[in-house]
Amino acid sequence: MPELPEIETIKNGLLEKVLGKPILEVEVNNASVLRGGKNIFKKTLGGESFTDITRRGKMLIFEIGENVADKKFLLARLGMTGRLVYFDSDDALWGGYSFKDKKSFSHKHCHVIFTFEGGGVLLFCDVRRFGYMEIVDEMGLKNKLEEFGPEPLSPDFTLGIFRDIARNKKTNIKAFLLNQKYIAGIGNIYADEILFESKIDPQRSIDSLSVKEIRAVYDAIGKILKKAVANRGTTFSDYVDAAGDKGNFKKFLKVYGRAGEQCLRCDTKKIRKIKIAGRGTSYCECCQK
DNA sequence: CCTTGTGTTCTCCG
DNA sequence: CCGGAGAACACAAG
């Protein structure tokens, strides 16, 4: 499940690999992962290069070309199982590349292939096809960006801002953390880890949280996400970075995926798993109140 | 049946 | 009856 730390890691990897490289060809094997037509997609990208790559929440933004007057952007969302992997040679496409996770790398799930000058290829693969790519103009990008709450690792994301966002919310803290319009980039893994770190029961409603508890959640958001970025994200099942490598944060997970196991903090209760907002939620009844 | 990110639709409430 | 918030559902396939 690529969340903020995973998308950030992919973005950094792609910046090193594809920035400024002319795109020779775009092959679309499955147009259902494109929003908008395949022809517009190929026409917009052909002969251009990515002049910048940024991230907003779980969305990747590729700036296309040097034309300042009429900028276009490629937006990529990976959904649950989407991957963006770069290979220095297109041998990868024909089985000649020693991919580190061969089992889950299947040509049949490669929906878009970008070929760069010099022979590098960038693959957009997605088994479940929840992910998609889309070309937008400046206005379209602006509209998309407005759907997101603040970036939790930005200096603009202050305790005061967090309190303002949380004010008057009736929903539970877990659903709140997952909602991209409140804070951008948190998904199911980090929501559970943040609530474990801050010792808050995921079922608690926002308006029941004390000033101190709000601050604990705020602090945990920064702490967990920073550490996850530093460790190149979490690989639970599908996630790999732009080079095909797994993330290293899994070993630091304290609740996610530990249902039925002894709590690592209080060592008195087993981690319980319930469903909140339709999502599996792991927490310790003993230490999260 | 389970898994989750996101886009849509439904329902509730003032 | 309108708007907004929040909840519920739909989707995909291993």
Side-chain angles (χ1 to χ4, degrees):
Chain A
M1 289 69 73
E3 307 179 27
L4 184 154
E6 291 77 31
I7 303 296
E8 180 69 15
T9 305
I10 291 170
K11 182 206 78 182
N12 292 336
L14 291 177
L15 274 173
E16 281 177 33
K17 292 294 186 181
V18 306
L19 197 69
K21 277 187 189 167
I23 301 163
L24 291 184
E25 198 198 337
V26 182
E27 189 184 331
V28 179
N29 292 328
N30 189 338
S32 72
V33 300
L34 302 182
R35 299 281 169 96
K38 174 175 166 177
N39 292 336
I40 294 171
F41 192 79
K42 295 176 91 155
K43 198 180 156 195
T44 308
L45 288 160
E48 298 285 352
S49 63
F50 298 129
T51 47
D52 197 10
I53 308 171
T54 53
R55 177 192 60 73
R56 188 75 172 88
K58 303 166 193 167
M59 180 172 78
L60 281 163
I61 306 161
F62 298 77
E63 188 185 276
I64 303 163
E66 305 286 355
N67 184 355
V68 183
D70 183 26
K71 271 250 170 275
K72 295 283 193 291
F73 301 88
L74 168 67
L75 307 180
R77 314 197 74 156
L78 300 183
M80 284 172 65
T81 55
R83 291 174 163 181
L84 272 167
V85 187
Y86 178 86
F87 298 90
D88 285 318
S89 143
D90 67 0
D91 286 353
L93 302 178
W94 314 112
Y97 188 88
S98 173
F99 196 67
K100 287 161 186 158
D101 186 13
K102 271 183 184 166
K103 195 167 67 105
S104 50
F105 176 71
S106 165
H107 192 209
K108 122 183 155 180
H109 299 301
C110 264
H111 308 307
V112 184
I113 302 165
F114 301 83
T115 305
F116 295 90
E117 201 172 283
V121 292
L122 176 64
L123 312 180
F124 179 81
C125 313
D126 190 355
V127 176
R128 295 185 199 178
R129 302 209 312 278
F130 274 21
Y132 65 84
M133 292 198 291
E134 179 178 16
I135 306 273
V136 295
D137 59 14
E138 211 125 21
M139 198 57 185
L141 177 65
K142 190 172 168 282
N143 291 338
K144 281 275 181 186
L145 294 179
E146 280 172 4
E147 294 168 14
F148 293 92
E151 279 296 319
L153 295 183
S154 146
D156 299 337
F157 184 64
T158 60
L159 177 58
I161 291 284
F162 183 62
R163 290 186 61 185
D164 287 345
I165 297 164
R167 186 164 298 133
N168 298 326
K169 295 294 183 298
K170 301 270 181 273
T171 187
N172 60 69
I173 181 69
K174 168 83 186 230
F176 175 83
L177 290 175
L178 290 176
N179 195 326
Q180 304 300 297
K181 77 179 177 196
Y182 298 147
I183 308 160
I186 299 171
N188 209 33
I189 295 175
Y190 297 110
D192 280 4
E193 293 299 313
I194 286 162
L195 291 172
F196 181 83
E197 174 68 26
S198 48
K199 302 183 182 176
I200 304 291
D201 185 325
Q203 300 163 104
R204 288 278 298 282
S205 72
I206 292 283
D207 57 10
S208 77
L209 297 177
S210 69
V211 171
K212 202 176 161 187
E213 288 171 328
I214 286 281
R215 187 166 58 230
V217 175
Y218 172 80
D219 289 342
I221 290 171
K223 183 178 169 184
I224 297 288
L225 293 180
K226 269 180 207 158
K227 191 171 176 190
V229 170
N231 284 278
R232 309 180 61 80
T234 303
T235 296
F236 217 85
S237 54
D238 296 272
Y239 167 72
V240 290
D241 68 17
D245 292 321
K246 295 179 177 182
N248 299 317
F249 194 70
K250 193 184 176 196
K251 58 174 175 277
F252 297 109
L253 296 178
K254 289 176 181 166
V255 275
Y256 184 88
R258 295 197 68 254
E261 293 174 48
Q262 203 76 356
C263 174
L264 293 171
R265 184 164 49 206
C266 67
D267 200 29
T268 60
K269 289 262 187 187
K270 291 190 164 85
I271 299 301
R272 197 157 100 93
K273 189 158 183 186
I274 60 172
K275 201 161 272 251
I276 301 177
R279 297 290 168 253
T281 301
S282 304
Y283 75 110
C284 175
E285 317 173 61
C286 177
C287 12
Q288 291 175 254
K289 297 294 182 192

